[in-house]
Amino acid sequence: MTTDLATSPTRPGRPPAPRRRRLLRRLLVGALALGLVGILGLAGLAVWFWSQADMSNVGQLGFVNQLKIPPLLEPHLDGAGRKVFDLQLQQGTSDFLVGKRTQTWGANGAYLGPTLRAARGDQVAVNVANDLPEATTIHWHGMHLPAAADGGPHQLIPPGSTWSPSWTIDQPAATLWYHPHPHGATEDHVYRGVAGLFLLDDPEAGALPLPDRYGVDDIPVIIQDKRFDRDGNLDFGQSPFSPIGRLGDQILVNGTHDPHLNIRHQRVRLRLLNASTARVYNLGFADNRPFEPVGTDGGLLERPHRTTRVPLSPGKRAEIVAAFQPGERVVLRSFPPDLSLDSVQGRFAGADDTFDLLQVRAGATLTTSPPVPDRLARHRQLDQAEVGRTRRMELNGSSRINDLRMDPGRIDQTVTVGTTEVWEVANRSGNSHNFHVHGVQFKVNDQTDAGPPPALIGWKDTVFIPPGGTVQLLVQLPGYSDPALPYMFHCHLLQHEDNGMMGQFVVVQPGEPPPGSLPSHQHHG
Ligand SMILES: [Cu+2]
């Protein structure tokens, strides 16, 4: 009982007005207190979200697991002399975390897929059998190929069926990759684990004294962030305040949690792939040692350079060569990336995050490796005089290009086979984006005296564009025409892509009229 109720009957002569005032005052104080508690609660919640948004695993790892190396998939030769690869997309369980099982998807296994490898001039075919419970596609990211073989949303593979594209490898040595691309479900399917590398070789690259023994001194490094629930299963919850999509607080490298890599050579090539759905990494070594980037999305650079950091947005690759001393241990780390967002947005997009990725353990004695040569690849020169038209594209919000959401039945751009164009892509939103074009490698056009910064040099198929930023891409369009089937261009932050930040272009012969619209539900199995 309160004092008030207990004492009031003993003061019967008390006038009612002050009592009402007192009651009013109590109500007011109560409401104020409640409001204060509410404000403090909200502030506390905000502080909690703020502190939770800053993620790091530094100091939490023991690097206890040996890094898995995805196996090289052996092709067989068919009667036509083609290298035929067999991929089977399947469900399975993985044991990433000690004592826990995780439901995952993979190719020829429970998680990720084998590495495919072919050389320039090879004719390849891949049989992709879908044993998953959902229709999906497999897109050959970075590959020059006909639209029908591209594996975009129009090449849907229903459950229980097989898709068998074939094409001729016609581009320089590079680290490419494959991943699902079904319209509206790409983030989900990639997050579940379907992805793998597709390495291309050519004689010029093969003759260079670069580390090239797969899994020995030429190491695939597939980087993915994940969030696990208490049972060890993948957490599919969205990050409510993240402007770029789902971010995980744990790292897998080649599907290995808490990994180390034993090396026996002085110099090692790391083929870094950001196979995450949204997270941008800023890669370097924990001791800030310099290393030499030698390759980008589309292959080797013309010359190596020395740096201590390589930024890598989703879908992108970087090949680096690093040198090690006998017996040392050094950690490959992702430092806070520059997302060019304001401090609040940036924090919720991972701009303050630091992650240890992989501990490199050098043997007591190391085989000497030759230094990285001064000249690497000779790049095909894109003549400014041959550049045809300029196309402008605007990225709007987090789901539109040129103010339109993706419509599988609408062709957004019609281009002429094999021509070179400037694609000027302007980020008109307050959000970061990550522009990817199918079927081509492009260069970032920079006419300033200083030339493009190191991060923008080389062949690319994906480029990070900060809010307000504009890039000019020098694009040599595909050498394959098909007025009936489009290639895609889209944001490679997969949530943005799934939300509709994607458009379609078809390649036609010179003078061929642009096609009419496609049927909305056209699927080519
Ligand atoms: Cu985006």
Side-chain angles (χ1 to χ4, degrees), residues 434-498:
N434 190 34
F435 193 75
H436 170 51
V437 186
H438 285 210
V440 303
Q441 294 289 333
F442 52 73
K443 285 208 170 170
V444 176
N445 196 20
D446 190 317
Q447 300 299 322
T448 59
D449 290 341
L456 295 181
I457 291 174
W459 292 113
K460 298 182 182 302
D461 53 50
T462 309
V463 61
F464 185 81
I465 313 178
T470 298
V471 293
Q472 278 203 349
L473 309 178
L474 212 49
V475 187
Q476 181 169 18
L477 292 154
Y480 308 93
S481 69
D482 186 344
L485 268 183
Y487 296 90
M488 305 295 132
F489 54 89
H490 62 88
C491 180
H492 217 286
L493 302 177
L494 299 185
Q495 189 181 85
H496 293 179
E497 172 190 334
D498 284 342

Side-chain angles (χ1 to χ4, degrees), residues 14 38 92 101 115 133 145 216 240 301 340 346 367 397 414 419 425 434 449 525:
R14 197 186 170 103
R101 309 283 285 164
T115 298
L145 36 50
V216 177
L301 292 163
S340 301
T367 303
T414 300
T419 55
V425 188
N434 190 34
D449 290 341

Side-chain angles (χ1 to χ4, degrees), residues 227-306:
R227 190 178 280 276
F228 296 99
D229 67 18
R230 282 177 193 205
D231 300 329
N233 273 315
L234 293 175
D235 185 339
F236 288 89
Q238 287 296 347
S239 315
F241 298 103
S242 165
I244 63 170
R246 180 189 292 139
L247 295 173
D249 58 356
Q250 300 291 325
I251 301 291
L252 300 179
V253 180
N254 299 347
T256 322
H257 184 247
D258 201 4
H260 70 264
L261 168 71
N262 294 311
I263 58 159
R264 302 192 310 274
H265 291 78
Q266 179 194 11
R267 287 189 173 82
V268 171
R269 163 156 53 173
L270 301 177
R271 295 182 190 247
L272 305 161
L273 161 65
N274 183 349
S276 305
T277 57
R279 185 176 289 285
V280 178
Y281 300 96
N282 184 22
L283 303 167
F285 289 95
D287 64 356
N288 288 318
R289 73 183 53 200
F291 55 86
E292 291 171 276
V294 296
T296 57
D297 299 338
L300 295 174
L301 292 163
E302 295 185 287
R303 291 182 178 77
H305 57 99
R306 282 174 84 76

Side-chain angles (χ1 to χ4, degrees), residues 25-41:
R25 201 165 58 227
R26 275 169 181 250
L27 279 171
L28 207 69
V29 167
L32 274 174
L34 216 70
L36 200 66
V37 166
I39 287 165
L40 283 175

Side-chain angles (χ1 to χ4, degrees), residues 387-462:
V387 173
R389 61 173 287 184
T390 295
R391 270 167 223 273
R392 291 193 172 77
M393 297 181 200
E394 283 186 12
L395 309 178
N396 319 104
S398 57
S399 61
R400 285 164 294 125
I401 298 178
N402 290 344
D403 275 321
L404 294 169
R405 280 180 187 240
M406 164 72 172
D407 175 352
R410 184 190 67 232
I411 296 300
D412 297 279
Q413 308 285 346
T414 300
V415 305
T416 304
V417 62
T419 55
T420 302
E421 296 187 345
V422 172
W423 285 20
E424 189 173 279
V425 188
N427 182 350
R428 296 270 185 252
S429 76
N431 201 344
S432 302
H433 296 299
N434 190 34
F435 193 75
H436 170 51
V437 186
H438 285 210
V440 303
Q441 294 289 333
F442 52 73
K443 285 208 170 170
V444 176
N445 196 20
D446 190 317
Q447 300 299 322
T448 59
D449 290 341
L456 295 181
I457 291 174
W459 292 113
K460 298 182 182 302
D461 53 50
T462 309

